[in-house]
Amino acid sequence: MKDVTHSETYEPHGSSKLYLSIFVVLCVCTAVSWLVDELRFENTTLLVVTVLAIASLKAGFVMLYFMHLKFEENWKYAILVPTIILAIGLPLTLLPDIGLQYYTSVNPQAMIVEEVVTSETAPSTVEQKTSPEALDPEKSDAPAESAPE
Amino acid sequence: MEQTISTTPRKTGLPITNGKLGMWLFLGTEIMFFTAFIGVYIVLRIGSVDATGRSAWPGPEEVHINAAAGAFNTFVLLASSFLVVMAHNAMGQKEYGKARKYLAFTFLCACIFLGVKAFEYQGKFEHGILPGQIPETAEEAILKTTGSVESILNAELERLTTEGENVLEKKTILQTEELEWKEKEPNSARLEEIQAVLALNIAYTELNDSRRLGELNLQDLENRVEELKANDKFGSLLESLHVYHPILYGNIFASTYFLMTGFHALHVVIGMILFAVAICARLSERWADYVENSGLYWHFVDLVWIFLFPLIYLIPATT
């Protein structure tokens, strides 16, 4: 068996200049995702997709250049492909039961029924859900206007 | 008999060192370790809905999530990743002094990261954002608030008298003592303290009774607590008291948050130990593999944070 030592495997994969430019790109990506969050998009799906796409892009840069995967031979697939399939598979298998319920949840938190959502003066749904009035079953007949800010 | 030995050995196995292969296999298991946590977090978060099916995940203000702190920590980890790869580069070019300097700066970045993390944890501890400690309904919030009045009362009783096996006995002892002091020295500081705690006891009993009878809602409780705090006898004892507000799904948030960030922070600490060993050693060619492998590990720690940052800090609660 070939005795592999560092002196044989070390090849200058990248220069300091390359690493620095990758670092700058990563910082710009972070700044962009933070800015996107600060903009408070109305369309939250767009926001989720944007920030996760930027995260994947950053992860890609780190793996390809900092972890030198771009320069490695095919063994990288043998290690990474199975783990990534399992990693994606786990949430997908859990999702239908816990995440995507076609039935009504029976957990105590979800039993609290919102009142007067049709009222135009009702506060935003988030406030209403977490406001004391909305959570207190005894006050469930209270008008929405009385909910504290 | 002559035996011919080939000077070029047959090429078998992988073109990488055993150490590097081991590190990559370990990172493979680490990917699955962290995606188990991250996947569970995503699934639980999607599943945390109210009766109407809308997401009821707690908002950043409620659970004290600061996106700026997260962004800063992301930057710190990215910088440290860059420094590690520069250290690896310097090792390859046999510039060991430079490599040590880069590793030292990486270590510093890890310290800054953990410092910011500790600051964030501190804020959560102070506000009681802990698994199993967060009231999720008004009833629980009221119970927790009256409970903290009780623990302030009990601590004060404990301070004033060491006699008596339980709270009830202590109260009786203090009541007797109050009468004695009234006769002896009606203006003493001790008497004032005893009278304050006994008055607080009466106020607490009243508050707890109306809670038990279900006459208390959060707004009433808030007014009552304001009144108690303004009381000139025992108001000063209640300075730290605040009224708890329910946070729907706060506990599952706290569990997943501390699980993910806690294990990540543990990985940061392990990385720091790896770097500390290299910084303290006399770096030479023999250390090139060590620096490369601990660098790979560190980039993985960075990778995990790259995903934790948007998932915890950026994606808003209303999705």
Side-chain angles (χ1 to χ4, degrees):
Chain A
M1 185 155 172
K2 190 183 171 192
D3 183 27
V4 185
T5 61
H6 45 82
S7 48
E8 285 173 56
T9 51
Y10 183 79
E11 297 139 36
H13 295 308
S15 61
S16 330
K17 233 173 160 180
L18 173 74
Y19 294 139
L20 189 66
S21 52
I22 295 294
F23 173 60
V24 170
V25 169
L26 288 170
C27 287
V28 169
C29 284
T30 308
V32 168
S33 57
W34 185 66
L35 273 178
V36 165
D37 183 57
E38 287 297 300
L39 287 176
R40 306 245 174 267
F41 283 169
E42 281 297 306
N43 186 347
T44 42
T45 319
L46 183 66
L47 193 148
V48 173
V49 171
T50 315
V51 293
L52 287 183
I54 292 173
S56 307
L57 188 71
K58 280 158 71 182
F61 274 121
V62 169
M63 288 173 82
L64 285 179
Y65 292 96
F66 285 179
M67 296 173 100
H68 298 124
L69 278 181
K70 191 168 188 248
F71 316 103
E72 302 290 2
E73 286 176 34
N74 287 338
W75 59 264
K76 63 189 173 191
Y77 299 113
I79 290 173
L80 288 175
V81 171
T83 52
I84 286 170
I85 288 172
L86 285 171
I88 295 169
L90 175 88
L92 287 182
T93 48
L94 285 173
L95 196 63
D97 187 39
I98 301 164
L100 309 170
Q101 295 143 332
Y102 65 89
Y103 47 86
T104 314
S105 273
V106 286
N107 51 338
Q109 292 95 327
M111 291 303 282
I112 299 149
V113 182
E114 280 184 74
E115 79 283 6
V116 215
V117 272
T118 48
S119 164
E120 280 176 14
T121 51
S124 80
T125 51
V126 181
E127 276 170 31
Q128 200 172 24
K129 268 177 293 200
T130 53
S131 72
E133 255 69 26
L135 298 167
D136 192 347
E138 282 172 31
K139 295 267 285 183
S140 56
D141 53 348
E145 289 92 313
S146 72
E149 288 301 303
Chain B
M1 190 175 156
E2 290 272 312
Q3 204 172 357
T4 48
I5 299 164
S6 164
T7 44
T8 47
R10 205 154 44 93
K11 196 189 168 196
T12 55
L14 296 172
I16 51 172
T17 60
N18 290 343
K20 189 169 166 183
L21 177 65
M23 181 50 82
W24 267 109
L25 286 172
F26 171 66
L27 293 184
T29 68
E30 287 277 84
I31 290 171
M32 289 189 273
F33 178 82
F34 272 102
T35 42
F37 295 151
I38 295 173
V40 162
Y41 165 78
I42 293 171
V43 167
L44 284 174
R45 187 175 167 158
I46 293 173
S48 296
V49 291
D50 60 12
T52 58
R54 269 186 298 247
S55 169
W57 194 252
E61 287 84 14
E62 285 178 288
V63 288
H64 301 274
I65 284 283
N66 184 350
F72 176 74
N73 257 355
T74 311
F75 167 74
V76 170
L77 273 195
L78 288 174
S80 71
S81 245
F82 166 68
L83 290 165
V84 163
V85 85
M86 290 303 284
H88 170 59
N89 215 22
M91 289 298 282
Q93 287 159 357
K94 302 197 186 342
E95 294 176 75
Y96 301 115
K98 225 168 144 187
R100 184 194 304 273
K101 209 174 69 191
Y102 283 128
L103 287 177
F105 279 118
T106 308
F107 190 88
L108 187 72
C109 282
C111 291
I112 295 170
F113 178 88
L114 285 183
V116 174
K117 203 80 237 158
F119 173 74
E120 289 183 85
Y121 274 18
Q122 177 63 24
K124 288 190 180 54
F125 293 162
E126 271 173 15
H127 292 91
I129 309 291
L130 289 165
Q133 303 292 309
I134 303 168
E136 298 204 19
T137 62
E139 211 175 17
E140 289 169 8
I142 291 165
L143 184 66
K144 191 165 181 186
T145 309
T146 51
S148 50
V149 178
E150 192 189 5
S151 49
I152 290 171
L153 171 68
N154 289 349
E156 188 64 9
L157 284 170
E158 191 70 40
R159 192 178 71 82
L160 286 181
T161 175
T162 49
E163 290 167 54
E165 277 182 6
N166 54 40
V167 177
L168 211 63
E169 277 181 30
K170 281 180 196 291
K171 281 177 199 163
T172 327
I173 290 164
L174 285 177
Q175 272 161 353
T176 337
E177 209 186 319
E178 187 201 5
L179 293 175
E180 285 168 15
W181 279 103
K182 261 185 185 168
E183 284 177 20
K184 269 197 293 184
E185 232 179 298
N187 292 325
S188 72
R190 172 81 183 166
L191 179 63
E192 251 178 51
E193 278 184 337
I194 291 172
Q195 281 177 331
V197 78
L198 291 175
L200 178 61
N201 177 41
I202 293 165
Y204 164 70
T205 314
E206 278 175 10
L207 191 70
N208 201 34
D209 282 348
S210 46
R211 178 191 66 79
R212 277 197 208 150
L213 293 169
E215 290 166 356
L216 213 57
N217 67 31
L218 266 176
Q219 193 55 51
D220 294 340
L221 181 68
E222 226 160 281
N223 298 339
R224 292 273 285 270
V225 166
E226 279 310 306
E227 278 171 33
L228 294 183
K229 279 189 172 183
N231 188 299
D232 50 359
K233 265 188 186 164
F234 54 77
S236 57
L237 295 175
L238 299 176
E239 263 170 15
S240 62
L241 178 72
H242 71 273
V243 179
Y244 287 94
H245 286 274
I247 304 171
L248 201 53
Y249 291 114
N251 291 301
I252 197 77
F253 163 82
S255 299
T256 49
Y257 173 84
F258 283 112
L259 190 73
M260 289 190 293
T261 58
F263 267 111
H264 182 262
L266 183 69
H267 279 75
V268 172
V269 172
I270 293 168
M272 285 167 77
I273 295 170
L274 292 178
F275 293 136
V277 169
I279 293 165
C280 295
R282 259 192 76 237
L283 291 180
S284 65
E285 221 179 306
R286 285 173 50 227
W287 284 85
D289 283 347
Y290 181 93
V291 171
E292 183 179 10
N293 292 338
S294 46
L296 283 174
Y297 171 83
W298 192 253
H299 296 312
F300 174 78
V301 173
D302 188 20
L303 272 184
V304 172
W305 187 258
I306 284 174
F307 285 106
L308 290 187
F309 170 58
L311 286 171
I312 295 176
Y313 291 84
L314 293 186
I315 295 175
T318 45
T319 44

